Amino acid sequence: MRLESLRLCGYRNLQEVQFTPHVGVNIVFGDNAQGKTNLIEAIWMLTGAKSFRPGRERDLIQKGAAQARVEGAFFAQDRHQTAAITLGDKRGVQLNGVEKKSASALAGSFCCVVFSPAHLSIVKDGPQLRRRFLDGAICQIRPQFITALYQYRQALAQKNALIKDLYKNAELYDLLAVFDEKLCQLGVRVYQMRRRYFAALSNWAGQIYSGLSGGRETLTLCYDSVFSGDEQALDAPQLQQLYSQRLQEAKKDDLRAGYSTVGVHRDDLRFLIGGLDCRLYGSQGQQRSVALALKLAEGYLLREFIGETPVMLLDDVMSELDPSRQNYILNHLEDAQVFITCCDRAPIEQLLTGRAFYMKSGHLEPCGSEED
Ligand SMILES: Nc1ncnc2c1ncn2[C@@H]1O[C@H](COP(=O)(O)OP(=O)(O)OP(=O)(O)O)[C@@H](O)[C@H]1O
């Protein structure tokens, strides 16, 4: 999959941008606040998803302008295609010239994986962000996971509401068993789908991390859940039985806390480098490398599902990485079209095949250092 051309009009600070990227690596460099992330974000918008940055849709439209337009031509599913989005006045979405109701209709046509500095929080911050990353990645390739997760969350919310009601009405106590039974079934489904994805993710992330670190470091991913490592091989009925047992054991704690303290809603991932937890002991460069390895692994798993490599959008990925890690990103992400933003020209010197562009005050120009 590759982006063949992009045209932007009135998108954030990018008044008028037209460019033809390289099929391999594209470096977009420039000082801070010139529009590099805006460009990455505009490419991402063609996937039909919401921006990966917080904010409202109208923030994407250039201040003072009535509308923003993103037009892309891309090669996917063995054919040349086009997508266009107009935001603001006369909003509209077209895919291959056909009018669509909303941007979500573009989903699945043009696929990207994005790394932005905010993704460092997967490694650095709380378990919720790690679960969100894992669940989001699974949802892209297993639509049935969306239903299982939704049903689990609903049952959990009902059980939590019941636990609160029990303070006022102890007679409702027996109802807990009804919700627990539902949670066991749904919890095991969620667990098994996460676990399957996790196995493939850890394999890819480990390989990518090894490449990034030049084979000097080993990344191991751990999945912490209701079940111990030995128990993961059990079949669904056995897991449900164990799950039920764990919920039973947690009952007192649940009533004291006022919510359900055990279940797959508390699952977490750990990233070990040389046996040490990267969240607690990792350097800035190691944490960034782990976050990047996870996002690239997500991309390669998406490739197995859609049959072609998604476009990799890597925003501000080079900071804190030594030249050998930068070299891996620039020259070893095989079979992928990659967009990399950075503030200085140094990575261009290392680029073997690709093209560099200079971004200044929302204007993009090729920087004349092309090598093919
Ligand atoms: N709707 C908008 N209209 C006009 N300008 C905007 C709009 N939204 C954002 N900007 C401006 O775009 C500028 C560039 O932002 P961007 O995040 O792309 O910078 P960057 O080149 O990636 O910088 P850094 O290297 O610091 O990450 C910012 O100065 C911001 O004020």
Side-chain angles (χ1 to χ4, degrees), residues 300-370:
Y300 287 117
L301 285 168
L302 187 55
R303 175 174 70 180
E304 287 171 17
F305 179 69
I306 60 175
E308 48 194 325
T309 313
V311 173
M312 308 282 192
L313 305 173
L314 309 179
D315 185 29
D316 194 12
V317 72
M318 297 300 194
S319 352
E320 295 152 356
L321 296 186
D322 59 39
S324 90
R325 288 177 200 243
Q326 293 189 358
N327 176 47
Y328 179 84
I329 299 166
L330 290 166
N331 301 314
H332 296 276
L333 299 182
E334 282 158 29
D335 189 32
Q337 187 184 38
V338 186
F339 292 82
I340 295 169
T341 69
C342 52
C343 286
D344 61 67
R345 337 177 108 252
I348 302 172
E349 313 303 323
Q350 288 200 68
L351 182 66
L352 297 178
T353 305
R355 195 171 290 163
F357 299 86
Y358 179 53
M359 178 71 83
K360 189 165 169 59
S361 307
H363 295 281
L364 188 70
E365 47 191 69
C367 87
S369 65
E370 182 175 333

Side-chain angles (χ1 to χ4, degrees), residues 3 6 8 11 19 21 37-48 70 110 112 311 313 339:
L3 182 70
L6 183 76
L8 304 174
Y11 189 90
F19 93 122
T37 306
N38 295 344
L39 181 77
I40 293 285
E41 184 188 42
I43 299 173
W44 173 258
M45 296 305 286
L46 293 172
T47 65
V70 181
F110 177 65
C112 297
V311 173
L313 305 173
F339 292 82

Side-chain angles (χ1 to χ4, degrees), residues 36-280:
K36 304 181 296 295
T37 306
N38 295 344
L39 181 77
I40 293 285
E41 184 188 42
I43 299 173
W44 173 258
M45 296 305 286
L46 293 172
T47 65
K50 290 205 168 74
S51 170
F52 53 86
R53 294 197 283 191
R56 300 153 302 176
E57 191 182 282
R58 68 166 177 270
D59 298 333
L60 307 176
I61 303 168
Q62 189 157 101
K63 294 271 171 263
Q67 62 175 45
R69 184 151 170 95
V70 181
E71 284 173 27
F74 57 95
F75 189 80
Q77 293 111 31
D78 288 327
R79 60 200 172 100
H80 298 281
Q81 305 195 52
T82 58
I85 302 174
T86 308
L87 305 170
D89 293 356
K90 298 189 192 141
R91 344 169 10 101
V93 177
Q94 291 95 35
L95 179 63
N96 297 317
V98 178
E99 206 67 40
K100 298 285 172 187
K101 273 200 183 127
S102 70
S104 60
L106 301 178
S109 300
F110 177 65
C111 300
C112 297
V113 166
V114 64
F115 168 88
S116 86
H119 289 118
L120 283 169
S121 58
I122 299 172
V123 180
K124 289 181 170 184
D125 296 337
Q128 197 185 359
L129 295 161
R130 286 182 281 283
R131 283 193 297 274
R132 194 183 299 162
F133 159 69
L134 190 66
D135 292 344
I138 304 172
C139 286
Q140 290 181 86
I141 61 171
R142 296 268 172 273
Q144 61 276 40
F145 182 73
I146 303 173
T147 316
L149 193 62
Y150 175 75
Q151 290 174 337
Y152 177 83
R153 284 179 181 157
Q154 265 195 329
L156 182 69
Q158 286 166 340
K159 180 180 168 182
N160 284 342
L162 177 65
I163 291 176
K164 292 212 164 66
D165 285 347
L166 284 177
Y167 294 121
K168 288 177 260 158
N169 187 357
E171 283 171 19
L172 296 172
Y173 190 82
D174 289 346
L175 261 183
L176 268 182
V178 178
F179 287 115
D180 279 353
E181 198 185 323
K182 236 177 164 184
L183 285 171
C184 289
Q185 280 172 17
L186 294 166
V188 166
R189 280 189 65 197
V190 168
Y191 170 79
Q192 287 188 309
M193 281 192 261
R194 277 187 184 157
R195 197 72 235 192
R196 221 166 291 138
Y197 186 85
F198 169 81
L201 181 80
S202 55
N203 193 11
W204 269 110
Q207 281 181 50
I208 295 165
Y209 192 89
S210 171
L212 268 167
S213 67
R216 287 188 298 274
E217 294 171 8
T218 318
L219 171 68
T220 311
L221 270 60
C222 301
Y223 186 86
D224 297 331
S225 186
V226 181
F227 307 108
S228 66
D230 303 340
E231 293 163 350
Q232 58 168 293
L234 298 174
D235 62 19
Q238 288 170 317
L239 288 173
Q240 280 177 26
Q241 209 178 336
L242 262 182
Y243 203 112
S244 167
Q245 202 178 306
R246 308 255 144 99
L247 291 186
Q248 204 58 33
E249 288 160 5
K251 218 167 234 174
K252 266 191 192 155
D253 286 344
D254 291 354
L255 295 176
R256 211 173 299 128
Y259 58 86
S260 192
T261 57
V262 168
V264 291
H265 56 286
R266 308 292 297 267
D267 285 1
D268 198 3
L269 301 177
R270 270 176 303 130
F271 313 113
L272 307 183
I273 297 175
L276 293 177
D277 191 333
C278 182
R279 189 169 74 84
L280 304 173

